[in-house]
């Protein structure tokens, strides 16, 4: 399986899924999901997690596993679109290598509150996955969504701790960091001396291409001179993390992560995920700006753009105009082609007397300028400034 080239996603098609009656969501090398709270951004990410989770549990040809390690959505009723005109829920994926959409359809049974398989995607063959027969064609089975070349980091990542857990199964065998980034420190302890797979992400201040040195170099963009100190206690399956800082060429004392603040610990899993990702891998990242100052948020936007330009497919959900501006700066500086950036702005509108969730797609030009600014699209600074400049009555 590992010898096959990874396939990347071009779009998602949702039918009767959560807040969407029917919606197509285009994806790029770097996709930014934005919008007010409750507009459907997380639902898009959850649709991908739901497919992966159902696949991993061997249930995808029987029904959808709405609760699991990646996502917990409650009941089938919680997932089914409340204004649905039929009883079918489906999630479709289109790969860049194909002209058609592979769609999984399930029937919602309100009396039993389950989602049962209605039809496997057309033309798919049954292959053995784990202990069950699962329908996948050769393209889909090697899409980045269903392989180990995948990471999901949720908004609520693990904060500073005196120690962090380990997982031989997830980290050693599947190289996963965990949805909360809870195994990022264990990952670094095991693979920190390996070379990063993508030399295009080499930081000029890193002395080598090892993952640990590259993480430290990029982390120093946020907090200058940062050094990472990891020690393990295999007897109790824990690893500890400390940070030290270089001042005038001298490395200071190592401080517990709990004494340094949230920003570094919260950012660390993102850096590890990106720098360890192979080209065509898929990363789903929620709120990368969390606990970062504005400069750090802008740098994060640039960093994600650099990674996407180097071939890593990234879907990021963010409320930060600084992250957006970091992406725009990367485009302006020629670090990423504007055609590789997909902006999706989620809104809720009244259409023909009904509330509909819709998506606007502003585009960025070569200069980093955006062609349209829908109301609410990262415009709060301008709105606040306009009010401040208006004389009081």
């Amino acid at each position: 399986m590992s010898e096959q080239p990874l396939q990347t996603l071009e779009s998602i098609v949702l039918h009767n899924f959560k807040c969407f009656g029917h919606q197509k969501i285009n994806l790029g090398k770097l996709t930014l999901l934005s919008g007010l709270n409750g507009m459907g951004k997380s639902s898009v990410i959850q649709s991908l997690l739901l497919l992966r989770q159902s696949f991993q549990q061997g249930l995808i040809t029987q029904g959808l596993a709405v609760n699991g390690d990646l996502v917990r959505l409650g009941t089938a009723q919680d997932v089914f679109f409340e204004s649905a005109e039929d009883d079918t829920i489906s999630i479709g994926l289109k790969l860049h290598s194909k002209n058609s959409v592979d769609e999984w359809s399930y029937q919602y049974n309100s009396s039993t509150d389950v989602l049962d398989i209605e039809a496997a995607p057309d033309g798919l063959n049954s292959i053995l996955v784990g202990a069950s027969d699962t329908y996948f064609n050769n393209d889909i089975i090697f899409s980045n969504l269903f392989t180990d070349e995948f990471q999901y980091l949720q908004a609520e990542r693990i904060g500073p701790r005196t120690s962090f857990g380990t997982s031989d199964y997830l980290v050693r065998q599947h190289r996963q960091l965990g949805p909360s980034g809870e195994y990022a420190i264990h990952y670094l302890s095991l693979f920190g001396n390996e070379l990063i797979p993508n030399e295009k992400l080499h930081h000029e201040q890193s002395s080598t291409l090892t993952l640990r040195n590259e993480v430290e170099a990029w982390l120093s963009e946020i907090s200058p001179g940062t050094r990472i100190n990891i020690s393990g206690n295999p007897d109790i399956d824990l690893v500890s993390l400390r940070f030290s800082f270089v001042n005038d060429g001298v490395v200071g004392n190592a401080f517990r992560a709990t004494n340094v603040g949230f920003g570094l610990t919260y950012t660390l899993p993102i850096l590890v995920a990106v720098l360890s990702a192979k080209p065509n891998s898929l990363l789903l990242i929620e709120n990368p700006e969390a606990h970062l100052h504005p400069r750090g948020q802008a740098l994060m936007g640039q960093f994600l753009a650099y990674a996407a330009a180097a071939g890593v497919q990234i879907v990021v959900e963010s409320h930060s105009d600084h992250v957006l501006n970091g992406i725009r700066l990367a485009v302006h500086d020629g670090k990423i082609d504007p055609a590789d950036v997909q902006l999706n702005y989620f809104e809720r509108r009244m259409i023909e007397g009904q509330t509909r969730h819709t998506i606007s797609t502003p585009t960025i030009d070569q200069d980093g300028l955006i062609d349209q600014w829908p109301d609410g699209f990262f415009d709060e600074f301008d709105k606040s400034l306009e009010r401040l400049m208006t004389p009081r009555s």
Side-chain angles (χ1 to χ4, degrees), residues 204-232:
E204 60 182 9
Q205 297 301 319
S206 178
S207 57
T208 70
L209 283 167
T210 63
L211 176 62
R212 184 189 184 112
N213 283 353
E214 295 290 353
V215 168
E216 285 184 340
W218 284 103
L219 200 58
S220 292
E221 291 281 356
I222 295 169
S223 182
T226 302
R227 295 292 181 268
I228 299 169
N229 303 271
I230 299 174
S231 58

Side-chain angles (χ1 to χ4, degrees), residues 168-181:
D168 283 343
Y169 175 72
L170 287 175
V171 179
R172 288 186 186 273
Q173 296 187 40
H174 296 285
R175 300 214 171 197
Q176 296 296 296
L177 305 182
S180 299

Side-chain angles (χ1 to χ4, degrees), residues 301-336:
Q302 294 178 69
F303 175 67
L304 295 176
Y306 300 160
V312 181
Q313 186 171 29
I314 300 175
V315 178
V316 57
E317 178 188 357
S318 177
H319 293 282
S320 170
D321 54 344
H322 302 297
V323 169
L324 171 63
N325 288 336
I327 296 171
R328 296 173 64 192
L329 286 171
V331 172
H332 176 273
D333 295 341
K335 302 297 184 181
I336 185 172

Side-chain angles (χ1 to χ4, degrees), residues 70-200:
L70 289 176
V71 64
R72 303 192 65 83
L73 299 179
T75 66
Q77 183 179 9
D78 293 324
V79 176
F80 195 67
F81 179 53
E82 65 177 354
S83 300
E85 298 179 355
D86 58 73
D87 61 359
T88 300
I89 181 173
S90 65
I91 303 174
L93 302 179
K94 184 180 184 303
L95 303 181
H96 278 97
S97 61
K98 296 187 66 177
N99 294 322
S100 59
V101 176
D102 290 313
E103 187 173 84
W104 287 265
S105 296
Y106 303 85
Q107 187 172 33
Y108 173 63
N109 188 325
S110 59
S111 61
T112 59
D113 195 37
V114 296
L115 295 168
D116 294 321
I117 188 70
E118 181 176 86
D122 293 338
L124 299 195
N125 300 314
S126 177
I127 66 172
L128 191 63
V129 178
S132 63
D133 287 328
T134 303
Y135 290 90
F136 278 95
N137 62 27
N138 288 334
D139 292 323
I140 285 292
I141 191 64
F142 293 109
S143 71
N144 48 22
L145 178 61
F146 298 112
T147 70
D148 284 343
E149 307 306 330
F150 169 93
Q151 299 286 353
Y152 164 57
L153 293 174
Q154 64 188 25
E156 190 179 3
R157 295 185 289 280
I158 193 166
R161 300 286 190 276
T162 55
S163 60
F164 298 82
T166 65
S167 173
D168 283 343
Y169 175 72
L170 287 175
V171 179
R172 288 186 186 273
Q173 296 187 40
H174 296 285
R175 300 214 171 197
Q176 296 296 296
L177 305 182
S180 299
E182 62 268 34
Y183 300 124
I185 311 306
H186 186 208
Y187 190 105
L188 263 183
S189 71
L190 294 177
F191 308 118
N193 291 326
E194 291 188 358
L195 302 182
I196 61 172
N198 201 328
E199 293 187 12
K200 294 180 180 179

Side-chain angles (χ1 to χ4, degrees), residues 354-368:
Q354 292 186 324
T355 301
R356 301 291 187 189
H357 288 253
T358 63
I359 301 176
S360 299
T361 57
T363 60
I364 303 177
D365 67 16
Q366 294 282 356
D367 296 319

